[in-house]
Amino acid sequence: MKHSALCYVIRRTLIGGRNCNRHGSAVMRPFLAEEMRQRNFAADGRNGGFFYWKRMMSSKAASETEVKSTEKEKKEESSGKKNNAVVSSYWGISRPKITREDGTEWPWNCFMPWETYQSNLSIDLSKHHVPKNFLDKVAYRTVKLLRIPTDLFFKRQYGCRAMMLETVAAVPGMVGGMLLHLRSLRKFQHSGGWIKALLEEAENERMHLMTMVELVKPKWYERLLVLAVQGVFFNAFFVVYILSPKLAHRVVGYLEEEAVHSYTEYLKDIESGAVENVSAPAIAIDYWRLPKDAKLKDVVTVIRADEAHHRDVNHFASDIHFHGKELRDAPAPLGYH
């Protein structure tokens, strides 16, 4: 009682008895509200205390539920699996709706419809660059030596051979395009379109690999072999291209000649029945605009035509260097798969 009376006297002194604002000053208003809340809580007894405790516990549980729900949504958005929808981007990055010519949804993210084409099957497959000088002979002999271990390892398993071949064939275009890009930056000059042409070649070779992987499931030791071969070949070709671009392009030209030969042998095995002429993978049908009922033979035929085009492009690039000119001095064969 004495404590309550003392509190009352102090409160009245601070507020001022003659204050016309019956709710007290703005300074004391929060203290009064808290005191009244505590007094009402104590006066309510068990019922008031129980309901207050229940309300506080339910609010706490609801708050924890909201936090967990928010965390779950963030995890789903980060994994891109929220209702199988495209993750919304703060940066405004989104893929537009893309369809085929028949109106069906485009299923591929690795290439778009405008990157597809119909391969030129009329190209001369029998072309061969006869070695004329020392560098030509070095390039030719090097490629022939590289073929020996491949023949010993794969023999007539042309599906596995093609898979290994494409992991190597996709390297030169990337290396050449990268070095030309850096040279263009250093010398402040255009590349004549050759950067894009070489990168286009590398992408085309990579699509060959993606197709062959669908047809031939590589074993663990084949994957290990790919790592070793790609690591050695990338660094070796990088050094060769810096030292002599004309030698590098000539080597690629002869490699593509061997690729044409390998795919020709592959077709012979398909036609003879040694290799089953299975249905073409869906990725190959869309990339080369093949008919829906296309077979393995159709896929190998268009890939062989691509390799013949790469053969011509790289021999042409080497000839430009042998004439004492730079690639930018001659028009680049853009769109020339």
Side-chain angles (χ1 to χ4, degrees):
M1 293 294 293
K2 292 181 179 180
H3 177 72
S4 300
L6 180 61
C7 290
Y8 177 78
V9 172
I10 293 174
R11 184 171 65 252
R12 294 301 300 172
T13 302
L14 293 173
I15 296 174
R18 293 193 179 101
N19 195 337
C20 61
N21 186 354
R22 66 176 188 174
H23 297 293
S25 65
V27 176
M28 293 303 299
R29 217 172 283 156
F31 298 99
L32 293 176
E34 177 64 19
E35 183 180 350
M36 292 298 296
R37 186 187 66 78
Q38 293 181 358
R39 185 182 298 175
N40 292 335
F41 176 78
D44 286 341
R46 281 179 289 177
N47 290 336
F50 173 76
F51 286 118
Y52 178 77
W53 173 82
K54 184 176 180 181
R55 184 170 67 249
M56 291 297 293
M57 291 301 293
S58 61
S59 300
K60 184 178 180 181
S63 178
E64 292 177 352
T65 303
E66 291 177 359
V67 172
K68 291 180 180 179
S69 176
T70 303
E71 292 177 351
K72 184 178 180 181
E73 290 178 358
K74 289 181 178 179
K75 290 180 179 179
E76 288 177 345
E77 289 179 357
S78 63
S79 62
K81 297 180 179 179
K82 185 178 179 181
N83 298 326
N84 295 324
V86 178
V87 178
S88 59
S89 172
Y90 169 79
W91 309 106
I93 305 299
S94 62
R95 173 185 166 179
K97 186 177 180 180
I98 303 174
T99 59
R100 294 190 181 96
E101 294 179 355
D102 58 2
T104 58
E105 184 178 358
W106 184 256
W108 312 105
N109 290 326
C110 54
F111 67 99
M112 294 292 108
W114 50 87
E115 297 171 334
T116 64
Y117 64 100
Q118 290 181 331
S119 187
N120 180 16
L121 302 181
S122 63
I123 188 170
D124 186 0
L125 301 173
S126 61
K127 277 185 179 180
H128 168 64
H129 182 276
V130 179
K132 299 177 181 178
N133 50 48
F134 176 73
L135 286 181
D136 283 355
K137 293 177 181 178
V138 169
Y140 184 74
R141 295 300 177 187
T142 300
V143 172
K144 287 299 182 181
L145 286 174
L146 291 176
R147 179 165 182 146
I148 294 175
T150 306
D151 290 339
L152 293 175
F153 187 83
F154 292 108
K155 297 181 181 179
R156 293 196 66 84
Q157 297 178 356
Y158 285 105
C160 298
R161 180 196 291 262
M163 181 197 65
M164 175 61 68
L165 176 67
E166 300 303 343
T167 62
V168 173
V171 171
M174 181 61 64
V175 173
M178 176 184 66
L179 291 176
L180 287 180
H181 174 75
L182 295 177
R183 181 183 300 173
S184 175
L185 298 179
R186 291 195 308 271
K187 295 188 175 182
F188 310 104
Q189 58 186 205
H190 294 290
S191 68
W194 278 94
I195 295 174
K196 186 174 182 180
L198 293 178
L199 295 180
E200 191 177 74
E201 175 186 316
E203 174 64 11
N204 182 246
E205 295 284 8
R206 190 185 67 84
M207 290 304 299
H208 292 177
L209 176 63
M210 296 297 103
T211 301
M212 297 311 300
V213 168
E214 293 291 328
L215 296 167
V216 182
K217 304 300 180 183
K219 300 178 178 61
W220 67 269
Y221 57 85
E222 292 174 336
R223 291 177 179 269
L224 187 62
L225 182 62
V226 166
L227 291 176
V229 171
Q230 188 183 85
V232 173
F233 184 76
F234 177 90
N235 290 283
F237 190 82
F238 181 87
V239 173
V240 171
Y241 202 97
I242 291 177
L243 297 176
S244 177
K246 55 186 173 184
L247 174 61
H249 282 291
R250 191 68 78 198
V251 167
V252 178
Y254 285 128
L255 281 174
E256 299 296 355
E257 288 186 15
E258 295 298 328
V260 172
H261 174 73
S262 296
Y263 280 114
T264 300
E265 294 297 315
Y266 197 1
L267 283 172
K268 289 180 180 178
D269 284 354
I270 295 174
E271 292 171 352
S272 65
V275 176
E276 184 181 359
N277 191 21
V278 297
S279 298
I283 190 172
I285 292 174
D286 284 333
Y287 184 68
W288 282 283
R289 301 177 188 172
L290 298 174
K292 299 298 182 182
D293 58 347
K295 297 291 185 180
L296 174 60
K297 180 180 178 180
D298 302 314
V299 175
V300 175
T301 301
V302 294
I303 291 179
R304 183 180 62 173
D306 288 349
E307 304 293 4
H309 286 298
H310 299 160
R311 171 203 65 195
D312 295 347
V313 169
N314 281 277
H315 280 315
F316 173 58
S318 184
D319 289 344
I320 295 172
H321 285 292
F322 271 107
H323 283 87
K325 298 182 179 180
E326 295 185 8
L327 292 182
R328 63 190 182 93
D329 297 328
L334 294 174
Y336 188 69
H337 296 288

